[in-house]
Amino acid sequence: MAEPTMEKDAKVILHLLNRAFSLSWMKPKNTEDDHLNNSIGDAGLISPDKEDISRILTVPFKGRIRGGMRPGKKIIVMGIVDSEPDSFDVSLTCSCSTEKKDEEELTDVALKLSARFSERQFLRNARVSGKWSEEEAAIPYFPFIQDQPFRIEIHCEHQRFRIFVDGHQLFDFYHKVKSLLTIDMIRIVGSLHITKLG
């Protein structure tokens, strides 16, 4: 009598495994991207200043980081480098109350990443109270190639930003702007096309 029960249990387990496997085929392959899409709509990392969908990812881009930065939060920029690139910048800034150019130039910049193709450098620095910090330049290799896609991840930790490109950690950048919640804007300019933000 024990054998038929074991056989029945095995069939039930096999059925459940088959069902789980078949359902996994219906799920999107990249659950991280699902999280990013959901985070834009729900708890949100980035929302465009203007809700004009046709211009959402055009460069130059400026968007709001909902709720500001905090440890555990990450920003992802996916794009394609132009065919004849000069440079591009990705900046995390503190918003200013008005959009006047003079005041925008005084806005604190928590992190400015600058890819320079002629020098093959990926620079970073910050501006606090109108003064730029010393530029940091050391990297193990230059990760960007003309006309090729890339993925930049900016992970916020308690003491630093940790920057990854295409899944490889390139460097850390220690916080100069200490109030992480005030870091609530992202700006992207230069020789690239944005394909996804999160």
Side-chain angles (χ1 to χ4, degrees), residues 147-182:
D147 229 5
Q148 294 297 309
F150 65 85
R151 176 186 176 111
I152 297 172
E153 294 182 27
I154 303 169
H155 294 240
C156 184
E157 297 181 355
H158 288 283
Q159 301 295 320
R160 64 188 168 207
F161 291 112
R162 185 158 274 184
I163 288 61
F164 295 78
V165 177
D166 297 329
H168 300 283
Q169 182 187 346
L170 282 187
F171 49 80
D172 292 340
F173 185 80
Y174 285 86
H175 296 308
K176 311 295 190 267
V177 173
K178 300 301 181 187
S179 177
L180 299 179
L181 291 176
T182 63

Side-chain angles (χ1 to χ4, degrees), residues 114-127:
S114 300
R116 303 287 176 250
F117 287 84
S118 59
E119 300 94 19
R120 297 184 57 76
Q121 291 186 322
F122 195 26
L123 308 172
R124 56 267 180 209
N125 61 1
R127 180 177 61 205

Side-chain angles (χ1 to χ4, degrees), residues 16 20 54 56 75-76 78 96 118 123 131 136 177-178 190:
L16 292 173
S54 65
I56 250 177
I75 301 293
I76 297 178
M78 295 174 68
C96 51
S118 59
L123 308 172
K131 295 181 181 177
E136 297 176 19
V177 173
K178 300 301 181 187

Side-chain angles (χ1 to χ4, degrees), residues 76-111:
I76 297 178
V77 178
M78 295 174 68
I80 300 173
V81 175
D82 284 352
S83 58
E84 295 181 18
D86 177 34
S87 65
F88 69 78
D89 298 337
V90 176
S91 300
L92 302 182
T93 67
C94 303
S95 64
C96 51
S97 56
T98 65
E99 290 299 315
K100 293 180 183 173
K101 187 171 174 69
D102 294 344
E103 290 183 29
E104 195 170 289
E105 289 175 1
L106 298 176
T107 301
D108 285 347
V109 177
L111 172 66

Side-chain angles (χ1 to χ4, degrees), residues 37-54:
N37 290 335
N38 289 341
S39 69
I40 289 173
D42 300 335
L45 293 182
I46 301 170
S47 61
D49 272 358
K50 298 176 183 170
E51 294 302 323
D52 182 0
I53 300 301
S54 65

